[in-house]
Amino acid sequence: KKKDLEWLESELMRLDVSTLAKLRAMDLDRLQDSLSACGLDISQRELESLSPHSISEFLTTMTSEFKSRVREAQRDDGYILFLSHYKVEAGTEAALMRTELEQLLAEGEHSQEGGVFLDSEDLTTLTDLQDAVRKSKNVAVLLTANVLTRPWVLVELATAHSEDINVLPVELNKKGNGFVFPEEDFFDALVDGSLLGEAGIRIIEDAGFHMHEVVVAVKHVLKRIALPYSPHRPATIRRAEVSALIHQCVMHDNKTQRGSKAKDAGILVRAKRLQKSDSWVANLLTKG
């Protein structure tokens, strides 16, 4: 059985190692000699876990955790709508749509119920993206030619489906879009991996899903009638289209329950990652 690593605490304190900076700069040979003088042994694996590299990894993990908790605190009210899209095909249009959605929402009775989430450079991990989906009352997926071949979009849809979040398909009406509602052979290619390849499959699995779950989520979305959005048509027409989308959104839910689900799911993912890393230093330093 692995030793209870709290036994190191008193010796570290005696050596005046009371901060992470001091721990990272510590002479491990000195620690080993000090422990030997007290009749205590430390394994090579434990020494490696106290190396500057291991401490740096721990700091990176804790920094990410801290930022995630700050974001959660800032987003207690969640989002009315999460815009799921393929940036290459609809990045500009999605930004325009968010602006018009937020303008209409600000004018109406739902102005205090949260904003519209559009993925940006400050969210660069799958966990961040899934947390944002979980904190949303609705997800709108912009249907463009290759959107359903993008692993991150598929993760967003699967996450929404698993959380029973309202998902609205929106067909982007612009020249060259060419979205075609997929046939069964498309879903077969998703399941057997030939469509996404190994890298794409790994993203899906890292998010906690099997390809069969992704297929169910996508099919569920496509059962609904797609709403139009025409970025190059007059503003009055776009306003009517955006208004129709808002009308289809769910505006009220149990925020406490949704926030708890997001928090529990996020903590579970991070706990599994810490467990995978087998970093006993993290367990020691974060205890309590």
Side-chain angles (χ1 to χ4, degrees):
K1 183 179 179 180
K2 189 184 291 185
K3 290 181 180 180
D4 184 350
L5 296 169
E6 285 186 332
W7 67 275
L8 273 176
E9 184 176 353
S10 60
E11 187 62 24
L12 290 172
M13 294 299 290
R14 192 180 71 79
L15 295 172
D16 193 32
V17 179
S18 56
T19 66
L20 285 173
K22 289 181 178 181
L23 184 60
R24 184 161 47 181
M26 180 179 59
D27 183 343
L28 295 180
D29 289 335
R30 181 188 173 203
L31 174 64
Q32 194 168 19
D33 291 343
S34 178
L35 291 171
S36 296
C38 298
L40 299 171
D41 293 323
I42 184 169
S43 70
Q44 185 60 36
R45 182 175 182 180
E46 289 171 335
L47 282 173
E48 289 173 358
S49 296
L50 287 172
S51 69
H53 175 72
S54 294
I55 301 303
S56 294
E57 283 190 338
F58 170 76
L59 284 169
T60 299
T61 300
M62 290 301 101
T63 299
S64 176
E65 174 74 12
F66 174 76
K67 288 181 178 179
S68 179
R69 287 174 183 258
V70 168
R71 280 192 294 269
E72 285 183 7
Q74 292 173 335
R75 298 173 186 166
D76 281 342
D77 290 336
Y79 305 100
I80 288 180
L81 187 63
F82 179 107
L83 288 180
S84 178
H85 68 294
Y86 177 23
K87 289 181 182 178
V88 172
E89 296 178 342
T92 301
E93 292 79 8
L96 173 63
M97 189 177 194
R98 177 177 64 175
T99 298
E100 295 181 332
L101 280 163
E102 290 182 337
Q103 287 173 349
L104 267 183
L105 288 168
E107 296 171 11
E109 60 182 302
H110 306 293
S111 59
Q112 302 301 316
E113 296 199 29
V116 177
F117 178 86
L118 181 65
D119 184 19
S120 56
E121 282 68 23
D122 63 331
L123 290 188
T124 57
T125 72
L126 214 51
T127 300
D128 286 339
L129 215 55
Q130 287 182 276
D131 283 348
V133 171
R134 293 185 184 103
K135 288 180 177 293
S136 302
K137 298 179 180 72
N138 306 274
V139 171
V141 55
L142 302 190
L143 301 179
T144 54
N146 297 293
V147 67
L148 296 181
T149 68
R150 311 312 301 168
W152 283 45
V153 170
L154 296 176
V155 166
E156 291 163 4
L157 297 180
T159 301
H161 184 72
S162 69
E163 298 288 338
D164 197 26
I165 295 169
N166 184 40
V167 182
L168 301 163
V170 177
E171 190 162 10
L172 201 60
N173 292 330
K174 71 170 187 175
K175 187 176 181 180
N177 175 27
F179 177 79
V180 177
F181 283 80
E183 301 291 342
E184 201 59 37
D185 57 348
F186 171 86
F187 296 109
D188 290 341
L190 268 182
V191 171
D192 66 26
S194 60
L195 184 63
L196 298 184
E198 289 185 10
I201 294 294
R202 193 176 307 115
I203 290 172
I204 301 297
E205 292 176 346
D206 286 348
F209 296 108
H210 297 293
M211 289 310 305
H212 289 287
E213 295 174 295
V214 172
V215 167
V216 169
V218 173
K219 286 185 174 181
H220 181 76
V221 173
L222 296 181
K223 285 179 181 177
R224 303 190 65 163
I225 296 174
L227 298 166
Y229 181 65
S230 311
H232 300 299
R233 299 192 72 181
T236 52
I237 293 178
R238 296 200 311 271
R239 183 181 176 89
E241 292 173 338
V242 168
S243 179
L245 175 60
I246 292 174
H247 184 71
Q248 292 291 322
C249 286
V250 173
M251 291 299 180
H252 303 284
D253 67 354
N254 187 329
K255 292 181 182 178
T256 301
Q257 181 180 9
R258 176 63 51 78
S260 176
K261 286 167 70 179
K263 180 179 178 182
D264 291 347
I267 289 174
L268 179 61
V269 169
R270 288 188 283 273
K272 285 181 177 178
R273 288 178 179 172
L274 279 175
Q275 187 179 28
K276 265 187 169 182
S277 71
D278 197 27
S279 173
W280 65 269
V281 178
N283 292 333
L284 171 63
L285 295 175
T286 58
K287 188 173 180 63

